Amino acid sequence: MNLLEKDLVSVAKAVNSCSMHVVLLPWLAFGHILPFTELAKRIARQGHRVTLLSTPKNTRRLIDIPPDLAGLIRVVDVALPRVEHLPEGAEASIDLPSDDLRPYLRLAYDAAFARALSDILRAPEPSRPDWVLTDYAAYWAPVAAARHGVPCAYLSLYAAAVLGFFGPPEALMGRGRYAKTAPEHLTEVPDFVPFPTAVAYRGHEARQMFKPAAVPDVSGVAELYRSGMSIHGSQVVGIRSSREFEPEWLRLLAELYQKPVIPVGLFPPPPAQDVAGHEATLRWLDGQAPDSVVYAAFGSEAKLTSAQLETIALGLEASGLPFLWAFRAPSDADTGGEGTGGLPTGFEERVNGRGVVCRGWVPQVSFLAHGSVGAFLTHAGWNSVTEGLANGVKLVLLPLMFDQGLNARHLVEKKMGVEVARDDDDGSFAPKDIAAALRRVMVEDDGDEFAVKAKELARVFGNDEANDQCLRDFLRYLSEHSRGP
Ligand SMILES: O=c1ccn([C@@H]2O[C@H](COP(=O)(O)OP(=O)(O)O[C@H]3O[C@H](CO)[C@@H](O)[C@H](O)[C@H]3O)[C@@H](O)[C@H]2O)c(=O)[nH]1
């Protein structure tokens, strides 16, 4: 018995024998590891054992298991192999200087994590898992699990509307009449959607998604194909969503997939316990009027250019509103581009007192939960949206990549946010567009329409009991369909 197996056995003995053992397999991106970790804690609080796989560096910087759950959650650190062209020390997409390098990270992930999962699946009773819960990237997980008689569930960190738009799993794998093989397939609502909706990509977003890759996909398996394979091979699909938010899309997904589709709740994380280094910012927020501040942040994956960041800076300035900006350096800063560092000359002096620019990682949820923050200028990454909704702030949407355009259309359709106006051809936006969208929700909010809606949404999406009930329903399904003894 190796060390890992011994550990798993001791964890297993420590807990109730009726509980399940669930293996969680997040992709190597902050926006995936963070929600999977939150889910691990919530599953453990329901009395189940969890094995969460990540890499040593990601565990150190992101995964914080409270002592009361340490006996139920086992974090397994999987070292990535050396892969040519993968920068030294890169263990998540945030570490890659360019998106073109993602295939190298996928290649390393596939090699190391498929082997680690096999080791875990081979563990003797009582450590053998009852379920594998996989993210989109581990397309090999359902087959590996089935080989050991263990069922696999797909956990979608995307909303049901996003998956629904892409159609059945075969379409994600590039097969059948709904396969999206050209930009124009992304700009129209597909005819299998039986209700009116505006959920579709814009032309500039679709063209960006079909931009030829600068390097071939050395991992051999594209991102959409991975999702399709993972969904196809899974017995059940859990969605980070709720029935209140998108019942119509959840129903459609169950039809498209011909398998159970269960919302697992939005599971918004609580504010950080440790805000060391951010005390001054929190004090500044304490001094602002309730609901008056715009919090601006664009997640961990999108790499904005210095020109885009300058436009955002000028937009925040032109809005005349107090703001707090989680600023990440521009993608062209160290590549010999015309980069200015992303901030216009004299910007910080001009907005001094009214605006705060935070560099580096910030405790986003603690900021969103602060009573002074009234709006969130966001790229519409699904974590950020759920955190904003749960904390009752108004959403101003500036989508940049992936699911974000669809999220933005969906939220606007449900009157849960306002999208920044863009040039339809190239997707560019001007400072006045940012300022106008911010002022629309913060200053020109007739009858407090957006404010009232935001608080109402917080009662639904921030309701821990409702979120946990969704998770319990999902876990009950897993428990009733667990592998036999
Ligand atoms: O300084 C920071 C920056 C981010 N975060 C957190 O990091 C997460 C970021 O997630 P998200 O807002 O979803 O953005 P991305 O990291 O860009 O997320 C990726 O993953 C999401 C879930 O699959 C997708 O919806 C996005 O489109 C994709 O870019 C959130 O929990 C934030 O609270 C911090 O705590 N501090």
Side-chain angles (χ1 to χ4, degrees):
M1 195 181 285
N2 65 29
L3 246 184
L4 166 64
E5 287 167 354
K6 273 191 192 149
D7 258 4
L8 286 170
V9 169
S10 59
V11 168
K13 281 188 182 148
V15 296
N16 180 344
S17 60
C18 309
S19 74
M20 289 184 288
H21 173 203
V22 185
V23 176
L24 301 190
L25 263 178
W27 164 236
L28 301 179
F30 280 26
H32 292 237
I33 299 163
L34 287 168
F36 264 85
T37 303
E38 178 60 24
L39 190 66
K41 294 180 198 171
R42 289 180 184 239
I43 293 176
R45 285 202 187 95
Q46 300 295 328
H48 302 287
R49 290 166 286 146
V50 177
T51 296
L52 174 63
L53 273 68
S54 200
T55 69
K57 186 168 169 182
N58 291 327
T59 299
R60 246 186 349 265
R61 57 188 168 177
L62 290 182
I63 303 182
D64 185 17
I65 305 298
D68 62 313
L69 297 178
L72 289 171
I73 302 177
R74 156 118 176 117
V75 181
V76 174
D77 282 340
V78 181
L80 296 180
R82 288 283 308 136
V83 163
E84 199 186 356
H85 306 302
L86 183 64
E88 178 91 38
E91 296 187 12
S93 54
I94 201 170
D95 304 322
L96 303 175
S98 148
D99 289 344
D100 296 334
L101 300 178
R102 275 209 302 265
Y104 300 110
L105 189 60
R106 289 204 289 271
L107 185 65
Y109 175 76
D110 290 341
F113 280 69
R115 176 185 290 232
L117 179 65
S118 283
D119 289 346
I120 289 169
L121 288 165
R122 268 201 299 270
E125 297 291 359
S127 303
R128 207 157 76 91
D130 296 293
W131 276 90
V132 172
L133 188 47
T134 186
D135 202 345
Y136 81 96
Y139 68 97
W140 30 262
V143 173
R147 205 175 294 132
H148 294 273
V150 175
C152 189
Y154 181 76
L155 178 73
S156 171
L157 296 178
Y158 284 178
V162 174
L163 290 182
F165 174 81
F166 280 97
E170 307 79 73
L172 287 160
M173 291 188 265
R175 298 203 292 260
R177 71 175 279 238
Y178 295 116
K180 309 226 181 284
T181 52
E184 56 273 25
H185 299 153
L186 291 173
T187 53
E188 279 183 11
V189 180
D191 63 13
F192 57 74
V193 180
F195 44 83
T197 177
V199 171
Y201 284 102
R202 298 218 196 286
H204 68 91
E205 294 167 333
R207 285 190 292 280
Q208 185 202 28
M209 288 169 81
F210 274 90
K211 216 172 68 191
V215 295
D217 189 343
V218 288
S219 81
V221 188
E223 288 179 340
L224 281 185
Y225 191 93
R226 285 171 187 257
S227 307
M229 278 281 282
S230 306
I231 293 167
H232 175 72
S234 293
Q235 276 84 334
V236 54
V237 174
I239 308 273
R240 190 186 195 184
S241 186
S242 77
R243 289 205 175 82
E244 287 84 352
F245 175 53
E246 47 177 359
E248 71 287 31
W249 287 101
L250 286 161
R251 274 195 299 273
L252 173 64
L253 262 196
E255 276 170 36
L256 290 172
Y257 291 173
Q258 295 290 301
K259 59 182 75 182
V261 172
I262 305 175
V264 299
L266 286 174
F267 52 93
Q273 300 281 322
D274 180 8
V275 290
H278 299 280
E279 296 84 349
T281 307
L282 286 162
R283 270 198 306 280
W284 178 80
L285 279 175
D286 289 343
Q288 305 301 311
D291 294 327
S292 66
V293 174
V294 173
Y295 171 66
F298 304 95
S300 68
E301 300 230 36
K303 293 169 174 63
L304 290 105
T305 62
S306 32
Q308 285 176 316
L309 288 169
E310 273 199 49
T311 307
I312 292 169
L314 293 172
L316 288 167
E317 185 178 355
S319 75
L321 298 163
F323 66 85
L324 168 55
W325 184 2
F327 180 87
R328 288 182 54 223
S331 55
D332 50 4
D334 50 11
T335 55
E338 294 294 292
T340 59
L343 293 179
T345 316
F347 171 76
E348 284 184 273
E349 293 74 36
R350 290 200 301 277
V351 298
N352 187 23
R354 171 160 76 81
V356 173
V357 178
C358 290
R359 291 174 172 79
W361 194 251
V362 301
Q364 172 161 305
V365 181
S366 306
F367 290 167
L368 286 170
H370 195 287
S372 295
V373 172
F376 184 8
L377 174 60
T378 170
H379 66 316
W382 197 234
N383 294 288
S384 288
V385 169
T386 62
E387 291 160 11
L389 289 177
N391 284 292
V393 300
K394 298 169 265 193
L395 300 177
V396 176
L397 308 155
L398 183 66
L400 301 167
M401 64 202 290
F402 301 145
D403 55 328
Q404 298 156 18
L406 299 183
N407 291 340
R409 291 332 83 80
H410 192 198
L411 290 160
V412 169
E413 179 172 286
K414 291 194 183 288
K415 300 193 173 25
M416 292 176 163
V418 165
E419 196 172 344
V420 173
R422 310 272 276 265
D423 181 289
D424 236 18
D425 264 353
D426 63 6
S428 62
F429 50 92
K432 69 172 175 31
D433 300 321
I434 301 273
L438 290 174
R439 292 187 65 80
R440 167 92 183 81
V441 301
M442 292 295 266
V443 183
E444 297 144 16
D445 184 8
D446 276 348
D448 280 347
E449 189 194 342
F450 289 108
V452 169
K453 182 88 179 178
K455 300 299 170 210
E456 185 188 304
L457 292 172
R459 280 192 290 277
V460 178
F461 294 107
N463 179 339
D464 252 351
E465 181 41 40
N467 277 309
D468 281 347
Q469 186 53 49
C470 285
L471 180 61
R472 280 196 290 274
D473 291 346
F474 179 65
L475 292 171
R476 186 170 341 104
Y477 179 92
L478 298 193
S479 173
E480 287 168 3
H481 298 81
S482 214
R483 68 175 169 84

